[in-house]
Amino acid sequence: MGLLEKLQTQVLTADGAMGTLLYSYGIDYCYEELNITKPEVIENIHQQYIKSGADIIQTNTYTANAIKLERYGLESSVKEFNESAIAIAKHAAAPGGQFVLGTIGGIRGIRKSEATLAEIIAALDEQAGYLLAGNPDGLLLETYYDFEELSSVVQHLRKLTDVPIISQVSMHEPGILQNGLLLNDALHQLEALGADIVGVNCRLGPHHTIQAFEDVELPSKAFLSAYPNASLLDVEDGKIVYESEADYFGRAGVLLRDQGVRLIGGCCGTTPKHIEAVKKRIADLPPIENKIVKKKKVIEIKEATPDQHEPLHEKAKKERTIIVELDTPRHLDTTAFIEGAQILNETGVDAVTMADNSLASPRISNMAMGSILKMQNNIRSLAHITCRDRNLIGLQSHLMGLDALGINEILAVTGDPTKVGDFPGATSVYDVSSLELLQLIKQLNEGISFSGKPLRKKANFSIAAAFNPNVRVLDRAVKRLEKKIECGADYFITQPVYTKEKIIEIYEATKHLETPIFIGIMPLTGIRNSEFLHHEVPGIKLSDEVLERMRATGNDKNLATAEGIAIAKELIDTAAELFNGIYIITPFTRYDMSVELIHYIQELDQQKVGDHNYVKTTN
């Protein structure tokens, strides 16, 4: 009798964690390599679970694909790891006739950039081919946080094989996936794609897993599965531990069965004792045929609070829009910064932009200064946000705070690594790249947390992304722009540009895009400043002509300032003809230089109005 036939009339018990036991043995490297180097250790764990009463065991192949093995330099070992794993499991199961599932683990977490779907399917093809050659009783897809990935994998596998497919999602919050999809809807979609058993595993312990299933309707054809963790994890003396008594886990197995689950196993923290407890509790219980679903109250997501200003990207599609960057202080005296911001605002800029500890050097928080500018001076700010300094928790908290303050214009950037800044020993976080951050901010605009949980109100962010055009092959940079647009970028802000030819090149390369682009203009203050930017700051290159002109000013500060302004005006002449968005970067809090450039742009536009030839309506 096959696996699906047995599930028609029985609630079956699967095994528990493999990694937990290996970790407890002091093994802390690629577990799949043990299929070759220590097969007896793996088989012993299989036998322990079989002895505890498991009807089903899974192969030790969770990360046995080329993408995940690459981190160990073992990507060429996919074949031997998978072939050995299924041989070990089948040998262990042969005496008792337990079912053997070939395990394929999820690859993506929050970071979609870890692998494209094409790369994932290619790795899946290779791994699944070796597992299927070993004649498993089914394929187990586990720990998939990214529903797009799991859906694609299920569809692809269904075309490759008729063996049962068990597809399991993982949730950050009970009953909802990280993209905001309800668990009930996700499982039914997986059933429609061809999965024979649908369920959940990992992240949540028994309590929250049971809670998640309360909203899940019984599938029409598929069966439900659940592999909860032993508990929420804890860390003691640097080691991961799970606090859970086996009997508690066994009682939870009964409650999962009461929710209609027919395949019950364990994930992180579970051991043969946990599986034995489940088996004893559910061995004589028939499966649930009908279920009354406990419908939870739907949380209303309110519309975003309207911004008092038109979003910058909307304005820049129609008319001249000027933003000016003014660095927040490295010290605690904010007098000059606030004075400069007030003068810029009076001059007519659309927003004052503030970097997020640029060049990895600490400054007063742009959230704090943006709040002061807004509340005390009614100045609109644009806050940069890097992925360097905050993990996902900090990023979401920071963004929620910005929304609460009404600071709705933001620039999402990856951020310079800490080693270039004042604290080279500090840690760079980078839980996500700027691409994922764009997607997550757009998710907040739908009122959905990074974890998928409803936030009760939509955010209202207008999101800029960075564009470095100072590269040899501009087409590649434009391809990245297009990818950022797909991820949610509303407009782009460039690094400073120092030649008219580059501005024209940018226009020609991006004129097919409807997304506005703000051309960066940063006036130079002297030859030392110019050479530093050219030789040491990533993403900035000056032309030989510009360097020579600044070199000719010698040590005369006034002459250098005048020449820097003159160069900037020449660049503005070209940029203002081709782009509505101008981004002025204030050097060393010299807002007087920025004010002069703003006046110059305004004069140019007034002349154009007089000529009945106002600014262009795209880019």
Side-chain angles (χ1 to χ4, degrees):
M1 185 182 296
L3 173 61
L4 298 181
E5 286 76 18
K6 275 209 168 186
L7 286 171
Q8 293 280 357
T9 57
Q10 298 180 44
V11 180
L12 299 182
T13 306
D15 55 4
M18 173 72 70
T20 296
L21 294 185
L22 294 172
Y23 185 74
S24 71
Y25 299 164
I27 299 171
D28 192 17
Y29 52 91
C30 178
Y31 294 152
E32 286 72 15
E33 189 176 9
L34 297 174
N35 297 334
I36 301 298
T37 60
K38 295 184 178 180
E40 69 282 358
V41 172
I42 304 302
E43 182 161 359
N44 176 260
I45 292 175
H46 287 321
Q47 290 172 343
Q48 288 184 54
Y49 279 118
I50 290 170
K51 186 177 179 181
S52 71
D55 304 298
I56 299 164
I57 60 173
Q58 65 184 86
T59 58
N60 180 38
T61 53
Y62 173 71
T63 66
N65 61 72
I67 294 174
K68 286 199 168 182
L69 290 177
E70 187 177 7
R71 74 185 67 171
Y72 304 106
L74 296 170
E75 62 271 23
S76 62
S77 300
V78 175
K79 182 177 188 293
E80 56 183 331
F81 286 0
N82 283 278
E83 287 182 343
S84 180
I86 196 160
I88 294 168
K90 296 204 83 168
H91 185 264
Q98 283 75 24
F99 295 109
V100 173
L101 303 179
T103 299
I104 298 174
I107 292 173
R108 289 176 172 176
I110 288 284
R111 299 192 66 165
K112 288 182 181 289
S113 63
E114 288 180 350
T116 65
L117 286 178
E119 291 168 339
I120 290 170
I121 294 301
L124 167 76
D125 257 342
E126 182 183 23
Q127 182 181 10
Y130 297 128
L131 289 174
L132 290 170
N135 296 315
D137 298 295
L139 293 176
L140 172 62
L141 311 176
E142 65 173 8
T143 321
Y144 281 78
Y145 285 97
D146 186 283
F147 191 71
E148 180 187 35
E149 177 188 2
L150 181 54
S151 299
S152 299
V153 169
V154 170
Q155 284 181 290
H156 189 75
L157 283 177
R158 192 72 289 167
K159 296 174 185 177
L160 292 182
T161 181
D162 293 328
V163 304
I165 295 174
I166 301 95
S167 61
Q168 297 188 147
V169 301
S170 294
M171 303 169 289
H172 300 290
E173 303 279 352
I176 193 165
L177 278 60
Q178 69 181 19
N179 66 350
L181 185 66
L182 295 176
L183 176 62
N184 182 64
D185 296 336
L187 298 186
H188 282 78
Q189 286 183 35
L190 292 171
E191 178 189 28
L193 292 173
D196 302 287
I197 303 170
V198 294
V200 303
N201 79 289
C202 206
R203 173 65 181 95
L204 303 178
H207 172 80
H208 291 111
T209 302
I210 295 164
Q211 182 183 346
F213 273 104
E214 290 176 350
D215 291 342
V216 174
E217 300 166 334
L218 295 179
S220 56
K221 294 181 181 179
F223 303 109
L224 296 178
S225 65
Y227 286 50
N229 285 354
S231 64
L232 299 178
L233 67 83
D234 195 6
V235 178
E236 292 182 0
D237 299 324
K239 292 186 176 182
I240 295 173
V241 295
Y242 291 86
E243 297 293 341
S244 174
E245 295 180 0
D247 185 62
Y248 170 77
F249 198 82
R251 286 183 277 122
V254 176
L255 297 177
L256 284 169
R257 171 264 182 188
D258 292 346
Q259 292 300 325
V261 178
R262 298 198 186 196
L263 175 57
I264 303 172
C267 204
C268 302
T270 58
T271 67
K273 290 183 178 179
H274 293 84
I275 300 308
E276 182 178 18
V278 171
K279 184 66 175 181
K280 287 180 178 178
R281 292 274 183 171
I282 69 170
D284 299 323
L285 296 178
I288 295 296
E289 298 287 349
N290 297 290
K291 174 185 175 183
I292 298 175
V293 175
K294 180 180 178 182
K295 290 292 184 181
K296 293 182 180 177
K297 182 180 179 181
V298 176
I299 297 176
E300 178 188 358
I301 298 179
K302 299 177 182 178
E303 290 301 315
T305 304
D307 193 348
Q308 61 178 329
H309 300 284
E310 181 179 24
L312 289 175
H313 69 277
E314 293 293 347
K315 183 178 182 184
K317 289 178 181 179
K318 301 177 294 186
E319 58 186 309
R320 174 74 62 228
T321 310
I322 305 171
I323 58 178
V324 179
E325 181 167 322
L326 189 65
D327 284 333
T328 60
R330 291 175 180 266
H331 45 72
L332 296 177
D333 183 358
T334 62
T335 306
F337 174 84
I338 293 175
E339 177 185 281
Q342 287 176 318
I343 292 173
L344 290 169
N345 186 56
E346 292 166 1
T347 307
V349 300
D350 292 284
V352 173
T353 88
M354 294 168 285
D356 190 10
N357 300 326
S358 59
L359 295 178
S361 297
R363 295 176 177 272
I364 293 181
S365 142
N366 58 16
M367 175 192 273
M369 295 314 302
S371 177
I372 291 171
L373 294 182
K374 178 182 173 66
M375 304 301 179
Q376 297 182 10
N377 309 96
N378 197 31
I379 297 172
R380 187 183 194 183
S381 62
L382 188 161
H384 303 194
I385 300 177
T386 74
C387 304
R388 177 195 58 233
D389 298 334
R390 306 172 190 87
N391 62 14
L392 283 170
I393 300 167
L395 281 171
Q396 178 167 318
S397 174
H398 187 67
L399 286 160
M400 291 168 73
L402 288 170
D403 179 78
L405 291 168
I407 300 175
N408 300 319
E409 297 286 347
I410 53 179
L411 169 67
V413 293
T414 300
D416 305 302
T418 56
K419 63 183 179 181
V420 308
D422 292 351
F423 299 99
T427 302
S428 294
V429 182
Y430 298 130
D431 275 357
V432 291
S433 71
S434 59
L435 293 173
E436 286 92 15
L437 182 55
L438 287 167
Q439 293 172 319
L440 291 171
I441 296 171
K442 282 297 183 182
Q443 194 164 305
L444 295 184
N445 279 356
E446 296 300 319
I448 300 172
S449 159
F450 292 179
S451 67
K453 187 177 182 179
L455 292 174
R456 301 185 181 229
K457 185 179 81 70
K458 295 179 180 179
N460 192 27
F461 292 117
S462 174
I463 315 164
F467 172 27
N468 177 20
N470 301 310
V471 293
R472 292 181 181 179
V473 184
L474 189 57
D475 287 348
R476 292 179 186 171
V478 173
K479 291 292 184 186
R480 185 164 176 81
L481 287 196
E482 293 169 346
K483 192 169 185 180
K484 287 184 176 182
I485 292 171
E486 291 176 6
C487 291
D490 295 310
Y491 60 109
F492 293 100
I493 298 175
T494 79
Q495 290 274 35
V497 182
Y498 285 99
T499 70
K500 298 177 184 179
E501 292 75 16
K502 176 60 72 173
I503 294 172
I504 294 169
E505 185 186 4
I506 294 168
Y507 172 75
E508 293 296 333
T510 63
K511 62 184 180 182
H512 63 289
L513 302 176
E514 296 182 2
T515 308
I517 296 173
F518 284 73
I519 296 296
I521 306 290
M522 182 165 70
L524 301 167
T525 59
I527 185 57
R528 291 181 63 184
N529 161 243
S530 303
E531 289 191 332
F532 169 73
L533 293 172
H534 180 71
H535 293 291
E536 298 192 39
V537 178
I540 298 179
K541 289 296 176 187
L542 278 62
S543 69
D544 292 339
E545 178 195 355
V546 167
L547 286 170
E548 193 57 40
R549 287 173 65 176
M550 294 306 298
R551 192 173 289 116
T553 64
N555 295 320
D556 189 324
K557 292 184 178 180
N558 292 332
L559 187 59
T561 296
E563 190 62 28
I565 289 287
I567 292 169
K569 287 180 178 179
E570 292 168 12
L571 296 169
I572 287 171
D573 286 339
T574 302
E577 286 288 337
L578 301 174
F579 297 89
N580 284 348
I582 304 293
Y583 165 49
I584 297 174
I585 303 144
T586 306
F588 309 113
T589 322
R590 289 285 306 277
Y591 52 82
D592 57 308
M593 299 179 76
S594 295
V595 167
E596 184 171 347
L597 295 178
I598 294 165
H599 285 315
Y600 183 72
I601 296 168
Q602 292 168 340
E603 290 169 4
L604 286 178
D605 290 341
Q606 288 171 0
Q607 291 173 9
K608 289 179 181 179
V609 170
D611 294 337
H612 306 288
N613 182 28
Y614 198 46
V615 293
K616 61 192 295 298
T617 56
T618 59
N619 254 340

